[in-house]
Amino acid sequence: MSVQDLETTAEGRVWLITGASSGFGRTLTEAALAAGDTVVAGARRPDALAALAAAHPDRLLPLAMDVTDIARAEEVVAEVVNRWGRIDILVNNAGRGLVGAVEETSDAELRELMELHFFGPAALTRTALPHMRARKSGAVVQMSSMGGRLAFPGIGAYCATKFALEGLTEALAAEVAAFGIKTLIVEPGSFRTGFAGGNALRHTAALPAYQDAIGPVRQGLPATDGHQPGDPVKAVAAILAALDAEVTPLRLVLGNDAVEFITAHAEAARAEARTWEPVSRSTDFDAASPPAP
């Protein structure tokens, strides 16, 4: 199926959601359809959305899409805009986990994850922005993690990619606000999305030296699958509410665990900054110092 197979007049808002076949992407797709919107659902396995597409033939288009394929991302955006004239909401959701200590993580593994979580979303965002600017409306949703605000042993590579995405998006938010474009970074904690189950979670090669530190993460994270406290349906409802709010937050923290970790991390960072404040402030030139020649 192609974009041309759907009606030219889209119902409701037009969403482009990556990683839409499972997890938050799937739940967001279902919620958007329930709201009467039109969804272009990018997925590596679009057949997983066949039943949902059959139930909403005029409003759901599953497309084969690998976000690390920049040319394909540009092609999808062009097709959607040519058919419906707009993308109202872009959701960069595609992703996966990687467990391993920093020393255990190869350059190839780190680069591959960065392509998926950072370079791919950055390219897709750049491609969609001119169309949003032209209409002076739109929203970019970056599905990050509480690991985009603080890092945990054993998932440093994953956190690094989310840190990068959040940094880029924080600057983006200030750059595009004048064009009427909303920007939302979503930071979930542990939710029952399948993130930790099946083949979704990858592992680096293990080094014996890190068995005590990383071994429990390798075993414990997969064991949480299906037992996480977070409800994806409630999370998606919160995302929709944030997008519809008159003032959309830059960051939306989801889940009690995420709130606790992020709050504690912020308080610890503030305390450390206060402790070292005299040293930090002592490093400027003295007021009487002449400029360097």
Side-chain angles (χ1 to χ4, degrees), residues 47-109:
D47 289 348
L49 291 159
L52 195 59
H56 304 277
D58 298 327
R59 293 192 292 116
L60 175 60
L61 175 63
L63 289 179
M65 186 178 182
D66 178 350
V67 299
T68 66
D69 183 342
I70 305 303
R72 176 58 178 158
E74 293 175 349
E75 179 181 270
V76 168
V77 169
E79 287 186 29
V80 176
V81 172
N82 287 340
R83 189 62 176 179
W84 290 300
R86 67 188 195 275
I87 295 175
D88 295 305
I89 304 173
L90 168 65
V91 182
N92 285 308
N93 170 74
R96 59 172 173 77
L98 177 68
V99 177
V102 172
E103 187 179 347
E104 293 172 333
T105 306
S106 70
D107 186 70
E109 288 169 326

